[in-house]
Amino acid sequence: MAEDLNKLSKEELIEYINSLRKQLSSEKYGLYFDRKATPEDVVEKCKTNIPFLEHIANKDILTDKTNKKYANNVLIEGDNFEVLSTLNMIYPNGVADVIYIDPPYNTGNNDFTYNDNFVDNSDSYRHTKWLNFMEKRLKLAKELLKDEGMIFISIDDNEFAQLKLLCDAIFGNQNYLTDFIWINNLKGRQISVGGAVKTYEHIILYCKDVQYAYTFSGNIKELQGDMPLIYKSKEYEPYEDERGKYIIKNELYNTNSAFNEETRPNLVFNIWYNSNTDEIKFTNINEEDISDLDYIKITPHRNADGEHLYHAWRWSKEKIINEQYNLLFQDIDGKTYKIFTKIRDIYSTNIKDIITDSTNGNSELNDIIGKGLFSYPKPVKLIKRLISFSENKNSVVLDFFAGSGTTAQAVLELNKEQEDSNRTFIITTLNEVSDAVLTTYLRTEGLLPQKSTKKQLSSYKLSNEYQQLIKSDDYFDLGIINRVTYERIKRILNGTAKKGKYNSTSLTGNLRFFRTRHLESASSKDQNKYNLVEKVNGLLCFLEDSYDEFDKGNGWTIYSSNDKSRYLGIFTDYFSENEFSCFLNHLKDVKGEIIIYSFSLDNNVDKNIEEIVEENLSNAIVKAIPTKIYEIYRKIIDDVKRDY
């Protein structure tokens, strides 16, 4: 909008100025940028077109359909704003345990496109466009994180400061955990405008809710082997009790003064210890002392921040009672005790915020799909390390800047290397076709002269012929998702890499392929629901993890899970009683859990349908569609209209 201020009426200018005043008055500290200066085409399109997911079954890769261990991983072709919107429609309570993204760094060297145009250093709205682009996607991503989830974001100095402020605003600065320094070029980059040459990039880490945060740990022996300069050898004297060996490192109190009687009142209390009976009691800080002389009082550690009295304990009262065997009470002159936590994993050490080891991302990718198809892929070892910081070995990993597919390979390798690991990934990328690849294709097909210019290519992109081409399978085959992302996953799952270890061995896992589509929004809310219900099959297959078409009729489809233990029935022809009876008959003989989705104009299942299902199928539950999906879509769009 700001670019066209001269074209605005007096009333529009006043409205624009008032919106800026509102932002300034509501945001006392943080990042300010003009959210309405550079509208984004894909977002504008979603205001009048409902995005949905279409399952492209012939692109699925299934290496094991019988073993439950190998769950379904998902690759989605589409703009990540659309993809994140559709995922929010079906996962309103979150789905991802870990998010890793490697967004464009906005260097000004053609690494970031906005509305199909590269953003370079001469663009006065360079940072504004990047912030508008990132903010919308990070807001949607936050909603997809589970409460205990975390997000890692790779970035360099071009946007690091802006990204940190943006994430503070979206995730809350209390949920900021770490800025990992990844040293990826120890020689230093030779291009520098002055000062010291750069050797590292940032990987910033936020959590969804800090109450679920914990200190990352790793095996000291492995870390010393990988990063000997960072993890020095330190020997701790091992002790032993009835539960086995342990070492002592830290006291029970939280050394961070930010955790105190104000911020963690439930973790600030007196502990009373009876060394004769090994019993523990508690009192509040201001409560009278226990009269029993056999109990020694242990007060919280004094806080020296100048504002608070005490440090909080790291454990709750309940945890102290339940896991007292992991506490060591050390007598201090017979007057009180220091309390230490016992570490049973004697080779465990805390992870530091610097990463120096990694493999070569370029050579890894070149070995699998060949040279020259993608620039600067992240190393697999780096992404494996980040994902492994999550203690959940069944975690869902989301990457909505998937690029070459490094995250997919990292997840599949972890599942092979770690016992009981059954992580899955959801990755998405836009199927961008580079000008170089497109030009070669058009010249080969005789659609451009052999010595065509950039101007001729630009002119061709304005033609109707080009609009037809971008909808074709030929164009899909030219894009990054087919030539790089999908190709990489296919080759490591099938053991058909160009060379290297995946030329003779393979990884195990299943891949489901989706593509974003659009449904033009109607003027009537109910009509939108009638139209949308015919397009929700892909979304529901994704949600219920049941992709294989089992049976089909007029207005209904039945899908099954990999191992046929679960069935998904979708019935959309609400007005046909005969078809509903036919639909139920095809479900009567299946064994396993059955989930039925039936059309409804609200979020309530028709009581008559529930009764009929209950009479015929004892192992089925019924849910309503598509109102909830539509309501979430409307909320996303209403938020976008308000803010942008």
Side-chain angles (χ1 to χ4, degrees):
M1 179 181 289
E3 294 174 329
D4 300 313
L5 291 180
N6 291 329
K7 299 179 182 179
L8 298 183
S9 66
K10 178 180 178 181
E11 290 75 16
E12 289 172 328
L13 279 170
I14 292 173
E15 181 183 355
Y16 179 64
I17 292 170
N18 285 335
S19 69
L20 293 178
R21 283 177 173 170
K22 182 179 179 181
Q23 182 181 1
L24 288 170
S25 63
S26 62
E27 299 177 19
K28 301 298 183 184
Y29 170 81
L31 188 66
Y32 297 96
F33 58 97
D34 191 342
R35 290 175 171 84
K36 298 185 178 181
T38 54
E40 190 178 357
D41 290 348
V42 66
V43 178
E44 295 302 304
K45 182 178 181 179
C46 286
K47 290 179 181 179
T48 55
N49 292 268
I50 306 172
F52 63 92
L53 296 180
E54 179 185 11
H55 181 204
I56 313 299
N58 63 358
K59 301 287 289 185
D60 287 352
I61 303 172
L62 307 177
T63 62
D64 191 333
K65 292 184 64 175
T66 59
N67 192 337
K68 284 186 179 181
K69 173 179 171 59
Y70 302 111
N72 295 297
N73 302 286
V74 177
L75 170 59
I76 308 172
E77 175 205 338
D79 186 281
N80 48 23
F81 177 82
E82 298 171 336
V83 173
L84 294 170
S85 296
T86 58
L87 294 180
N88 269 274
M89 292 179 199
I90 56 175
Y91 292 112
N93 298 316
V95 62
D97 300 280
V98 177
I99 297 177
Y100 170 77
I101 57 172
D102 183 17
Y105 287 4
N106 199 18
T107 63
N109 296 319
N110 292 346
D111 70 316
F112 171 47
T113 59
Y114 192 86
N115 292 342
D116 294 328
N117 295 308
F118 284 114
V119 178
D120 59 27
N121 285 321
S122 65
D123 191 330
S124 59
Y125 281 88
R126 173 184 157 202
H127 295 291
T128 295
K129 288 177 178 177
W130 190 87
L131 286 166
N132 272 319
F133 174 83
M134 290 298 297
E135 183 181 49
K136 291 187 284 282
R137 288 154 179 80
L138 287 175
K139 283 183 176 179
L140 292 171
K142 177 188 176 184
E143 299 306 313
L144 291 174
L145 272 178
K146 295 177 183 176
D147 288 343
E148 61 274 20
M150 62 185 82
I151 178 170
F152 298 87
I153 309 175
S154 285
I155 201 68
D156 73 359
D157 284 352
N158 283 283
E159 296 289 357
F160 170 73
Q162 292 82 266
L163 179 63
K164 177 65 172 62
L165 288 172
L166 181 63
C167 287
D168 281 349
I170 293 172
F171 297 99
N173 59 4
Q174 74 277 9
N175 292 315
Y176 166 71
L177 297 181
T178 306
D179 171 21
F180 285 99
I181 300 301
W182 174 44
I183 298 179
N184 62 337
N185 188 345
L186 199 55
K187 293 186 299 182
R189 290 171 179 79
Q190 300 309 304
I191 300 175
S192 174
V193 296
V197 294
K198 182 66 67 176
T199 61
Y200 66 89
E201 294 179 7
H202 303 267
I203 304 172
I204 62 174
L205 169 63
Y206 283 78
C207 61
K208 177 75 172 287
D209 188 336
V210 72
Q211 71 171 315
Y212 296 102
Y214 51 88
T215 301
F216 297 155
S217 62
N219 185 294
I220 186 62
K221 300 294 185 183
E222 294 177 3
L223 291 166
Q224 285 173 350
D226 291 339
M227 294 180 274
L229 294 178
I230 307 302
Y231 292 90
K232 304 292 185 180
S233 177
K234 186 175 181 180
E235 298 296 332
Y236 289 90
E237 181 183 355
Y239 301 91
E240 191 166 0
D241 60 15
E242 65 276 5
R243 291 178 178 266
K245 291 184 177 181
Y246 66 90
I247 59 175
I248 296 298
K249 289 185 181 180
N250 303 310
E251 290 188 54
L252 182 61
Y253 77 89
N254 195 320
T255 57
N256 189 338
S257 61
F259 296 91
N260 48 59
E261 68 271 14
E262 180 182 358
T263 59
R264 291 294 185 273
N266 61 314
L267 295 179
V268 177
F269 46 83
N270 296 318
I271 298 175
W272 296 80
Y273 179 61
N274 186 331
S275 60
N276 298 322
T277 63
D278 210 30
E279 290 181 286
I280 293 174
K281 293 183 178 181
F282 307 101
T283 60
N284 295 326
I285 289 298
N286 298 320
E287 196 173 343
E288 290 186 9
D289 289 352
I290 292 176
S291 58
D292 192 333
L293 297 179
D294 288 332
Y295 284 87
I296 300 297
K297 182 179 181 180
I298 309 166
T299 59
H301 192 80
R302 299 293 294 188
N303 198 320
D305 69 355
E307 296 182 26
H308 303 92
L309 295 175
Y310 302 105
H311 284 252
W313 299 110
R314 289 188 286 118
W315 289 14
S316 66
K317 295 175 183 178
E318 182 181 16
K319 185 177 176 69
I320 289 172
I321 294 297
N322 292 337
E323 299 184 34
Q324 185 179 342
Y325 54 84
N326 277 329
L327 295 177
L328 177 69
F329 289 79
Q330 188 179 85
D331 184 32
I332 306 297
D333 299 329
K335 296 179 180 180
T336 187
Y337 291 88
K338 283 186 177 181
I339 309 175
F340 293 87
T341 50
K342 299 177 181 179
I343 300 175
R344 300 289 176 180
D345 184 352
I346 62 175
Y347 295 114
S348 177
T349 190
N350 291 339
I351 294 295
K352 298 179 181 179
D353 61 359
I354 185 168
I355 301 173
T356 61
D357 73 314
S358 65
T359 44
N360 188 308
N362 281 314
S363 61
E364 288 171 341
L365 184 61
N366 293 344
D367 282 354
I368 297 169
I369 64 173
K371 294 183 178 180
L373 295 173
F374 192 88
S375 301
Y376 310 117
K378 287 294 186 287
V380 174
K381 189 173 185 178
L382 172 69
I383 309 306
K384 285 163 65 175
R385 186 177 297 284
L386 299 178
I387 294 171
S388 295
F389 290 153
S390 170
E391 296 175 346
N392 181 4
K393 290 187 178 182
N394 294 308
S395 59
V396 175
V397 181
L398 171 63
D399 182 351
F400 52 92
F401 287 95
S404 69
T406 301
T407 298
Q409 183 173 336
V411 169
L412 294 172
E413 286 191 5
L414 284 174
N415 284 345
K416 183 176 183 178
E417 295 165 2
Q418 295 183 350
E419 186 178 359
D420 300 324
S421 174
N422 190 26
R423 297 173 173 92
T424 55
F425 63 78
I426 301 170
I427 64 173
T428 178
T429 189
L430 192 62
N431 194 31
E432 294 177 305
V433 178
S434 69
D435 283 354
V437 170
L438 179 60
T439 298
T440 301
Y441 170 80
L442 294 176
R443 287 172 178 173
T444 303
E445 295 297 314
L447 299 173
L448 280 181
Q450 290 303 309
K451 295 184 178 181
S452 59
T453 63
K454 289 183 179 180
K455 185 176 181 180
Q456 286 174 305
L457 176 63
S458 298
S459 178
Y460 180 81
K461 286 184 175 182
L462 298 175
S463 68
N464 291 330
E465 188 175 19
Y466 176 71
Q467 295 304 315
Q468 293 302 313
L469 173 64
I470 61 177
K471 299 175 183 177
S472 68
D473 290 339
D474 287 345
Y475 189 82
F476 170 81
D477 291 341
L478 299 175
I480 181 179
I481 200 167
N482 188 63
R483 290 162 61 91
V484 180
T485 323
Y486 180 80
E487 186 71 9
R488 178 184 202 162
I489 298 170
K490 180 178 70 174
R491 287 183 178 274
I492 61 177
L493 287 177
N494 293 334
T496 56
K498 296 284 187 179
K499 60 180 181 178
K501 63 180 178 180
Y502 294 121
N503 178 254
S504 55
T505 61
S506 63
L507 296 170
T508 306
N510 295 326
L511 181 74
R512 303 293 183 167
F513 192 99
F514 283 81
R515 185 174 291 152
T516 54
R517 298 295 193 194
H518 301 89
L519 175 66
E520 187 174 351
S521 184
S523 57
S524 163
K525 183 189 298 184
D526 287 350
Q527 187 60 52
N528 276 324
K529 294 176 183 179
Y530 285 122
N531 296 342
L532 183 59
V533 77
E534 298 176 359
K535 306 294 184 182
V536 296
N537 283 29
L539 287 168
L540 296 178
C541 287
F542 195 136
L543 176 64
E544 301 297 347
D545 198 35
S546 299
Y547 300 92
D548 300 325
E549 189 174 301
F550 178 76
D551 211 338
K552 190 173 184 178
N554 292 324
W556 58 268
T557 311
I558 300 171
Y559 300 89
S560 69
S561 61
N562 294 347
D563 59 354
K564 300 293 188 295
S565 66
R566 185 174 60 258
Y567 292 83
L568 164 65
I570 304 173
F571 186 78
T572 59
D573 191 356
Y574 178 79
F575 301 102
S576 176
E577 293 184 10
N578 291 335
E579 277 301 321
F580 191 66
S581 298
C582 179
F583 169 67
L584 293 182
N585 284 333
H586 282 77
L587 284 169
K588 280 185 176 179
D589 295 329
V590 304
K591 297 179 180 179
E593 177 189 2
I594 300 173
I595 301 171
I596 294 174
Y597 283 88
S598 177
F599 175 76
S600 172
L601 281 174
D602 55 29
N603 285 314
N604 300 311
V605 177
D606 186 294
K607 294 296 183 184
N608 184 45
I609 288 180
E610 273 190 319
E611 291 174 1
I612 295 173
V613 169
E614 190 174 332
E615 290 173 3
N616 289 271
L617 302 171
S618 60
N619 53 342
I621 59 173
V622 186
K623 301 180 181 180
I625 51 167
T627 297
K628 192 65 179 178
I629 293 173
Y630 180 72
E631 287 175 350
I632 295 172
Y633 159 75
R634 283 307 325 165
K635 182 183 183 304
I636 292 170
I637 296 307
D638 288 344
D639 289 346
V640 166
K641 286 181 176 179
R642 182 187 65 248
D643 295 335
Y644 304 95

